[in-house]
Every structure is written in structure tokens, then in C-alpha cells.
Amino acid sequence: DIYRISFSRPDGVMTEDAALVGPSKYRTYGQIQREAETVARGITALTERTGQYVGLYGENDPRWFALFWGILKSGNKPYLINLRQPAEFSADALRTLGATVTLCLTSAPDLGTDCFSYDTVCQSAPETTPAVPFGDGFALATSGTTLGRKICCFNGETISAQLLNMESMIKENPDLIRPYRGQVKHLMFLPLYHIFGLEAVFLWFSFFHSTFVFPPDLSPDHLLRTVRYHDVTHIFAVPLLWAAVERSVRKEAAKDEKTKAALEKGLSLSLKLQKIAPRWGGRKLAARLFRDVRKRLFGDTVQFCISGGSSIKPETLSLLNGMGYSLCNGYGMSEIGITSVDLSLRAEDRIKGAIGRPVDSVEYRIDENGHLLVKGASVCPTMILDGIPTKT
């Protein structure tokens, strides 16, 4: 059902390649779906297996979407390989999952499996293949912040629960899917093999037929140019990016004492105005106050931002929100998915750095040792820790 709904508007633009030279390259939802179905037929022809894990190796790329859905359409389940982890770690995870095949965009290191490129899979696809049950789930490794080799195995039920959280989240803060000139466009900054990029960007927003804008690379200059020239509306990123933006603004202002004082005075005034008029009136005034700075940063198309992955400094939140960008703090882990984000409409609340209330599908509790305990329908149902499957 997630697949069917995600591709229910075939004419909508799904991906936009923000090449700096020449025209941008676009793919519609219909094109990506056709590519995914070609991939599925190719997998069936090459492997003749279903119900297996298939490795997916690749950086962010429109073809990644086709590989992800193609593996599921072939009746198998993708294991999302973290390219920042050693090849030995990924090879061990693939062995643990019983995977014998890996798909990649062009090439991959030796992972102890047969490896087929995107082009090879597509060229191997016959016109038709027997119908098979849709794959139920995917797996990914933790990002490396916990001890042990941990693989998280999600299924369709948990992902459905995660997606259904959006109904109440949007009611609480409509900016979460607010368009600019009729479009919601996401900057593809977060890696798709990480839970933040996979769930909060790809799965959440393809469900709403958003456009995903791929920058030429992740250099600060190219990221800012992509946001400004391609009308990006949503930026979800780790604190490292937001801190870099803050440093850049403050460094530029520090060149002159008057400019530095004006920046601090302007931020203070802006946050006070937003406190008086917390919705669009306050943000519009903030945007006017920082018009020149905003032109050099993200421009005026950005509607909503989330920081996640680790803690973010209050000073960073104050600067971005003071300039009229709604930057909220969120929380999640590979083991539990995305479980909360601050959805306050008031800038004075957002700058506190709180992670917000838990989404509908989970419950939070603090134990006697101060640990956050999380349970619920969207939490990863099975984890493999050092090769041993464990039900959560």
C-alpha cells in the first residue's frame, strides 16, 4: 500500500538533479516506478529468489529510489549498506542476513556477494516475470554510536505506523508540509541509508508526492546554491550543517563591530516580534529584518527545517529561528525510528532545543536512572546483535 500510494500521481516530479551546468534533470514518479519495476524483473531474472535480503550499495541518487522499490517489488528485502562503515562490517552483516546479492549504482567493494550494477540489472530484465508477493521490510545497521554489530530489521507494519504519525503532526504544525508556489521540495542532504534520511525525508515525503532535489555535492557553496536556485522548501540535516551556517553568519558579522552589534540586536528584536505574533506575521517581519543575510543563505523559499542526529546548540537555534527560518529539533535512532520532533509554532519554544512530544505510535518514559525508554508500534521489531536475532 505504501508503494501504491507513493506512486499514485505518476505525473508529479519526484527527483530534480541540481546540476550547476546545463539544465536540471527531472524524473517523474511514473518514471521512477517504471524503473523500479524494471529493476524488479531484472532481479528475478538474475537471482530467481524471493524472500531474501538483497544489499543496496549507493550514495544518494535518483536511481537509489528505483533500486529500493525494485528489490521490494521483486519479493525481497533491501539491506541498506552504510557507506561510511568498513566494507568488512557490511560483508559480515550481509552474511548474517543470508544475502547473496548486492545491487549498486555503478560499482561496490568486495562484500562477499554477487554484485550487479543498476545498468546490468535493468539490461537483464525480461518483458515479464511471474508475479510475486511484495517484500515486507528492510534492514539497516546502526550508525556506529552503539557498541556491537547491530542490525535493525523493520517490516511493513512498523513503517506504516511511522507514516501514519504524520496526520497528527501536520495538524499540530502545518508548516511540516507547507509548499512554496504549490510545491514541496526537499534537499537531499541526509544519506538514504541512515534512518533520518530514509524515514523522515524519503518515506514520509514521497507519501505526499514531494520533489527531492539532489545537489551536485555536499560542499557548503553548492548546498546553498541548490536551495536558492531550486526553490527548496524543506531542509532536514544534522547539527553540523546548522552549526556551519551559524559560524558563517557570525564570522561575517564579526568583521565589523557595528555589524556584529546590529546582528545581535536584530536577533533579539526578531525573537521578540515573533513572540508577539508567533505565526506568519512574526516570521515575515524576521525575514524583512534579515533580508540581505537570507539572500546569501537559503533565500525565502524554505518553509520548515529539522535538526537531528545529536544535540544542537541553543545559539544555533536562536540564529536560524531569529532570521525567520523555522528550525526545530528532533529525535530518533536506528533502533526506534523517528519518535519525536518539536512542532511548536512559537519561535520562543523552538530555541529551547526540546525534542518535542512522542509521536502517536510510541510512548516515552524516563526510568530511575534517567534513561529514556521507548516502546510502540513503529519501533524496530527485530534486531540482530552480534549475529543473534532479538525481538524488541
Side-chain angles (χ1 to χ4, degrees), residues 178-189:
R178 186 175 296 280
Y180 174 77
R181 293 181 178 174
Q183 291 184 301
V184 173
K185 301 178 76 171
H186 260 278
L187 178 70
M188 287 306 305
F189 172 79

Side-chain angles (χ1 to χ4, degrees), residues 85-301:
Q85 293 174 334
E88 295 80 7
F89 182 102
S90 299
D92 180 69
L94 290 165
R95 282 193 299 272
T96 299
L97 293 169
T100 60
V101 171
T102 296
L103 304 187
C104 62
L105 297 178
T106 54
S107 62
D110 183 8
L111 299 172
T113 64
D114 293 331
C115 186
F116 301 107
S117 70
Y118 176 87
D119 289 341
T120 298
V121 173
C122 291
Q123 291 164 6
S124 302
E127 289 297 320
T128 60
T129 54
V132 295
F134 205 87
D136 184 32
F138 58 81
L140 72 168
T142 56
S143 56
T145 55
T146 56
L147 297 175
R149 297 193 174 193
K150 188 183 294 183
I151 303 171
C152 302
C153 303
F154 288 85
N155 58 32
E157 186 175 354
T158 57
I159 297 305
S160 296
Q162 179 72 253
L163 289 172
L164 290 172
N165 289 320
M166 288 289 279
E167 181 179 8
S168 61
M169 294 170 72
I170 292 167
K171 287 179 180 177
E172 187 172 352
N173 191 332
D175 292 350
L176 191 58
I177 57 165
R178 186 175 296 280
Y180 174 77
R181 293 181 178 174
Q183 291 184 301
V184 173
K185 301 178 76 171
H186 260 278
L187 178 70
M188 287 306 305
F189 172 79
L190 297 166
L192 287 161
Y193 50 73
H194 190 276
I195 197 70
F196 193 7
L198 179 75
E199 285 196 357
V201 178
F202 171 44
L203 291 175
W204 274 5
F205 286 89
S206 59
F207 206 68
F208 293 97
H209 311 105
S210 303
T211 298
F212 302 97
V213 183
F214 291 81
D217 55 56
L218 299 184
S219 66
D221 181 56
H222 286 177
L223 287 173
L224 293 177
R225 286 172 62 94
T226 298
V227 173
R228 290 197 302 266
Y229 294 120
H230 295 269
D231 293 345
V232 168
T233 60
H234 289 63
I235 307 172
F236 294 179
V238 293
L240 189 66
L241 175 66
W242 305 117
V245 172
E246 183 207 358
R247 282 196 305 272
S248 176
V249 173
R250 295 193 186 279
K251 182 179 179 181
E252 187 66 26
K255 293 178 179 179
D256 178 77
E257 284 300 321
K258 288 186 178 180
T259 304
K260 182 179 178 181
L263 173 66
E264 298 304 328
K265 185 177 180 179
L267 289 173
S268 177
L269 176 61
S270 171
L271 291 171
K272 287 179 182 177
L273 291 171
Q274 291 188 64
K275 186 176 182 179
I276 297 170
R279 290 301 293 132
W280 281 95
R283 280 181 59 188
K284 286 180 179 178
L285 287 170
R288 290 182 64 183
L289 277 172
F290 291 94
R291 179 175 52 199
D292 293 338
V293 179
R294 285 167 60 101
K295 283 181 180 179
R296 295 194 297 272
L297 288 177
F298 301 128
D300 293 322
T301 66

Side-chain angles (χ1 to χ4, degrees), residues 39-50 73-76 121 126 129-130 132:
V39 167
R41 296 196 304 272
I43 294 171
T44 299
L46 289 168
T47 67
E48 298 181 351
R49 299 179 69 186
T50 60
K73 183 74 173 174
S74 73
N76 294 292
V121 173
T129 54
V132 295

